[in-house]
Amino acid sequence: TTYQRHYLILNHMGTIRAEHDDFSIRFASAMNQMITLKSSDGADNDWSRDIKGNMYDTVVEGFQLLSRWTGRIWEQCAWKFSRPCKEPPISDSQQDSATFFDYEKVVRWNYTAEERRALLELIGYIKSIGLMMQHCDTLVSEALWETIHMEVQDFVQDKLDTMLRTTFRKKKDLSRILSDMRTLSADWMANTSKADPEQHSLHQETEEMRQSTFYPRPVAPTAAQIHCLQFLICELVSGGNLRKPGGLFGNSSSGIPVEDLKQLETFFYKLSFFLHILDFTAATIGTLTDLGFLWFREFYLESSRVIQFPIECSLPWMLVDHVIESQDAGLLESILIPLDLYNDSAQHALTYLKQRFLYDEIEAEVDLSFDLLVQKLNEVIFTYYKSCAASTLLDSSFTYACDDGEKYFVKPLRFDAIFKLRRVMILGRTIDLRSLITQRMNKLFRENIDFLLERFEYGDLCGVVELQQLLDILELTHQSISRFLELDSYSLMISEMQENLSLVSYSSRISSQIWNEMQTDFLPNFILCNTTQRFVRSLKGAHHSSQRSDASTGKPYFYCGSHDLTMAYQGLAGLYRDFFGIPHMFAVVKLLGSRSLPGIIRALLDHISSKITAMVPKVTGLQEALPKSIGLLSFDGGIAGCQKIIHEILTWEAKSDVKVEVLHDLKEIGSALYWMSLLDIVLRQIDTTQFMQSAPWLGLVPGNDGQVKHAYSDNTPFTTLLSAATSAVASSPACANPSSYLVMSKQAEAASLLYKSNLNSGSVLEYALAFTSAALDRHYSKWSATPKTGFIDITTSKDFYRVFSGLQYSYLEDSMTNPSKKREMLGDSVAWAGCTIMYLLGQQLHFELFDFSYQFLNVAEIETATVSLYQPADRSKSPNIFQGYEVILEAMRKARRLNNHVFSMLRARCPLEDKVACAIKPSGAPLHRMKFSNTVSAFETLPQRANS
């Protein structure tokens, strides 16, 4: 409707923006002219008077503009209050209580998003123009006073003089009033051509004699003088009768000519405006920019019979919340402007209404609003910079492959103005907003780290890749925000949340969780696939069940900022959720670092040692169930006869539980050893990268024999460069402090020695094998009997390889009889553990000669060759002699290939010709590989083999 178009601010924003821009330009131009006038000496009087008059007109126009804008807000509020919202929207949280206060209908639900933006923009215009005029008070005050002085003196000394000599010449009473006005306000000190008024002759004078020349001075009339002049004008015009028809300056019956009456009327109203000009800083601007009425709602509190409305119903907070929720880049810098409404309302409550309880209510709401503002502002800033970090770290190939890849780019926002706010005035108090944001941001980072660690603690070990990704995003977010705020160190934060602040603490929440997961879930329930180099969770027959509770759902900005980026990273992390492999090991190494990684290695080695110790009595029980003498399998009965003989040898039906426990112990030992091999691969790759980066600075070049050699005998290129620079600088007479350069040269030499010492890094796998060998040495006599004759005893049944051979055959046979359990319980870890133990005990050749599966395969090959020899003509028509045995034969072949792979790896990494050992420094860096015999110094922490 027409009224709606008139009263709503949204419909006038185009005109308001144009008025604001035009006035800002002209006010700035007038201020520049005033500054030029101040800096110039002996300026022309007419030019100076024009500039000051222009400044006066600009200030008056600013007052009119502020008055018109404030009036528009009053009109819109009245329009909204008279037309409440009829059907407020009901959100999900308000389904139970769908009743609304009347105040909510006229304020909370009565403003659309566009109207809130327009209202906020207009409030910003009013406050900015008022603040701009207020800041230039000292610069324009003299110009305003001088202009007012000129206006008053021009009327009093010139126009009143003309009236005295013409209109009021014979009217003694009225002439006396005019004389009183001149006596009251005339500044004769500025007059250079007229004498005292009593000396004026009543005879006719020429035009030149009637003109007075005076110089305006920055001496404005006082409020008392202005009020007295107004009173005398009223007395002059009304003759004492203020209720005459036609108004004060209407059709006067006092006989004053119309022209003089208009001059008196104009001057009368100018005097009224002079009061506002003279006090424009303290009163006028404060009154014109006072928007405190937007907060008061006492009428609705009485009608609703409540003590106070929710903070969501407060119009100032609604505007602040609109800026935060909309995240409009054009409004972010105006986020604190609505809080100035609280200052206006508090000032109005104390000075005009004089009600302390209203001020107390405003103060309480300000405390709540400012806390919510700082909290939400921190969340917006944190979310924005975290989204930027996640977008930066997101794989570009993934973004380009998506059809809607634009949604992974973040719309730029600017928080520079907010970061610079150190003094925010609210209710007379100065608040350092930057300091509050910094404090909350430090707390937010710590909460985010704690949430990520807690989320990782509720999941399994496969979630380590996602944890590493989210922590990388958080670290980049910290780097971005640290450019503007003085945040705590990221390493300090993460050490604090990991409870790893002590210098002697080598454990952390991540390392404790990793080891707890490995001990309770990973080693018992994950199986190894040697082909893919991955561990996957066993689908059936978990030996130990791991009870988990669901992790709490965190706030959206605790993940990747925006929802789209969070879903993208969760999709990428889901690719690593169902297995554990090389990517997970890289994440483990990066998260633990050189400080906590040795603790995990030592715990795994102790776990291997404890499993070996716990397995000894179980293996002994299986050994006792075997015959005292076991010979080679006969070829006469074929594979069926061999199977029957093996069943007669392996009488473990009564010890089926022991057999299962031994297999699971071997599985955990093998998984731990293979985990160490994956760790060794990752560490070697990292060491290689570091070597490639440091080799040019250390002067390392490849030799003819393929080995790395030093190209420089004494110094490295790094130390040579800094030594030459130090000598050149120190020899210069302009160098004031050469000692600092000498210290830098010495530090370069120390750095070269440090990097050289880390070149020959050792192998974690070799150290694990040496530790396992030392652990097996304590049980050597029980698992490996020394031949009495010095030759291989083919009938012995007490060696470990006999037990493992029987276990392997039983397991393979079970996979034939029950295909659903095929490699779903144990995987390839059993082969890794069994082959490692047999290799370290020196039983590899015994196992390869006398293993039941190997002999079974030999018999099958001989039988195949025999059948092929006697039936060479038509092999397709010959009956399948291995019918029913195809599955177990194929399983045995795969097992033999796997065993050969493990033995070849062991021979390469741990040759038995030379005893290989290595150690790990307290810092976590492995020592280089050394070859020496067993001594106490070499294995001071490892169990020793008893002398035999």
Side-chain angles (χ1 to χ4, degrees), residues 66 128 173 186 201 203 307 358 377 401 405 493 549 580 649 682 685 700 712 824 907 912:
L66 291 175
S128 62
D173 295 336
S201 174
H203 297 288
I307 299 177
L358 286 176
L377 190 59
M493 290 183 185
S549 56
F580 184 94
I649 296 174
V682 171
Q685 184 172 343
L700 300 176
Y712 302 88
E824 291 184 356
R907 283 193 298 269
L912 294 180

Side-chain angles (χ1 to χ4, degrees), residues 180 437 534 784 797 811 892:
D180 291 341
I437 292 177
R534 293 179 177 182
S784 183
S797 62
Y811 170 62
M892 288 178 178

Side-chain angles (χ1 to χ4, degrees), residues 15 18 35 131 164 237 264 346 364 369 447 508 694 716 727 749 769 806 819:
T15 304
I35 295 173
L131 190 62
L164 281 172
V237 173
L264 291 172
S369 300
E447 290 177 354
S508 61
S694 60
T716 63
S727 301
E749 295 177 2
L769 293 176

Side-chain angles (χ1 to χ4, degrees), residues 769-778 915 939 942-945:
L769 293 176
F771 189 98
T772 306
S773 176
L776 290 172
D777 288 346
R778 293 183 299 177
K915 189 65 179 181
F939 295 96
L942 306 181
Q944 299 297 308
R945 176 185 296 180

Side-chain angles (χ1 to χ4, degrees), residues 198-303:
E198 284 77 6
Q199 299 177 0
H200 282 296
S201 174
L202 298 177
H203 297 288
Q204 187 175 4
E205 300 176 358
T206 63
E207 186 67 22
E208 295 180 356
M209 295 176 61
R210 288 198 302 266
Q211 291 180 353
S212 62
T213 302
F214 58 88
Y215 295 95
R217 298 191 300 167
V219 181
T222 63
Q225 288 177 307
I226 293 176
H227 286 302
C228 288
L229 286 174
Q230 288 178 323
F231 173 76
L232 291 175
I233 292 174
C234 290
E235 184 71 17
L236 179 67
V237 173
S238 64
N241 183 16
L242 298 178
R243 295 185 177 181
K244 63 179 183 178
L248 180 62
F249 296 100
N251 187 11
S252 175
S253 60
S254 59
I256 303 176
V258 176
E259 183 178 354
D260 293 340
L261 193 63
K262 288 183 178 179
Q263 291 183 1
L264 291 172
E265 180 182 5
T266 302
F267 186 66
F268 179 84
Y269 289 121
K270 279 187 177 181
L271 289 174
S272 301
F273 204 75
F274 287 162
L275 292 173
H276 301 290
I277 296 292
L278 294 175
D279 198 19
F280 83 99
T281 301
T284 306
I285 293 182
T287 303
L288 294 177
T289 60
D290 182 11
L291 303 175
F293 59 88
L294 294 175
W295 179 85
F296 289 103
R297 56 277 183 106
E298 300 305 313
F299 171 79
Y300 288 95
L301 287 174
E302 291 292 335
S303 63

Side-chain angles (χ1 to χ4, degrees), residues 789-808:
T789 60
F791 297 97
I792 296 179
D793 189 357
I794 65 174
T795 62
T796 180
S797 62
K798 303 303 180 183
D799 289 348
F800 177 80
Y801 78 90
R802 289 290 191 184
V803 178
F804 182 74
S805 177
L807 291 173
Q808 179 177 261

